[in-house]
Amino acid sequence: MKQSIAHVTLVVRDYDQAIEFYTNKLQFDLLEDLKMSEDHRWVLIAPKGSSSCSIMLEKAIGKEQESRIGNQTGGSVFMILQTDNFERDYKHLLDNKIRITRESSTEVYGKVCVFADLYGNLWDLIEPVKKED
């Protein structure tokens, strides 16, 4: 058997607002944007260079889903964005006025900071420690 996670859903307030943030501020790629109905779209984004899992932007419908916008994990880090160059990407976050909620630090597993997306969901930016052969 072979399985993989193809997409992770991120509940958003507005498709276009979310696409603008993720593609312009975080430099993600817009993989698909297909109109399914008057109010529903199939929108997939992914970090540059990513070839496995992507994020499906899902517009909140109703009060229960709307209550999850910006707090999909109850205040815990929601996503972990792995990078090959922490300093470059950390500077990019600062240059784009992305809110840093925990400043950069070096941990046993790598260099990391925590930032918030446009709705307040928390993300780790991490460059893992390179394993020696």
Side-chain angles (χ1 to χ4, degrees):
M1 177 189 315
K2 181 179 180 182
Q3 297 178 332
S4 63
I5 295 175
H7 315 296
V8 176
T9 301
L10 174 61
V11 180
V12 300
R13 185 167 289 110
D14 178 83
Y15 288 117
D16 294 322
Q17 178 187 52
I19 290 169
E20 190 280 326
F21 176 84
Y22 285 102
T23 61
N24 292 331
K25 297 278 188 174
L26 294 185
Q27 297 183 317
F28 283 20
D29 290 326
L30 177 61
L31 305 177
E32 293 185 46
D33 185 359
L34 306 170
K35 186 173 183 173
M36 305 293 287
S37 69
E38 192 60 38
D39 297 323
H40 188 241
R41 290 157 56 181
W42 176 267
V43 180
L44 297 176
I45 60 171
K48 293 216 179 285
S50 180
S51 60
S52 54
C53 186
S54 59
I55 299 170
M56 178 170 38
L57 302 178
E58 185 71 33
K59 184 177 177 184
I61 299 171
K63 291 194 181 298
E64 186 172 353
Q65 289 182 8
E66 288 171 1
S67 74
R68 302 305 193 268
I69 296 171
N71 192 18
Q72 297 203 153
T73 58
S76 182
V77 168
F78 172 60
M79 296 270 189
I80 298 170
L81 181 59
Q82 185 169 306
T83 180
D84 63 349
N85 187 323
F86 181 87
E87 297 305 327
R88 175 199 63 214
D89 293 342
Y90 183 69
K91 181 180 181 322
H92 181 82
L93 293 175
L94 295 174
D95 290 348
N96 280 276
K97 297 179 179 34
I98 304 298
R99 184 168 57 96
I100 305 298
T101 63
R102 194 179 98 208
E103 293 298 325
S104 67
S105 63
T106 301
E107 306 296 338
V108 294
Y109 51 84
K111 197 156 199 180
V112 64
C113 76
V114 179
F115 69 92
D117 69 12
L118 75 163
Y119 298 115
N121 293 300
L122 299 178
W123 291 63
D124 272 353
L125 173 66
I126 182 170
E127 181 179 357
V129 170
K130 292 177 178 52
K131 295 180 181 174
E132 296 183 29
D133 296 326

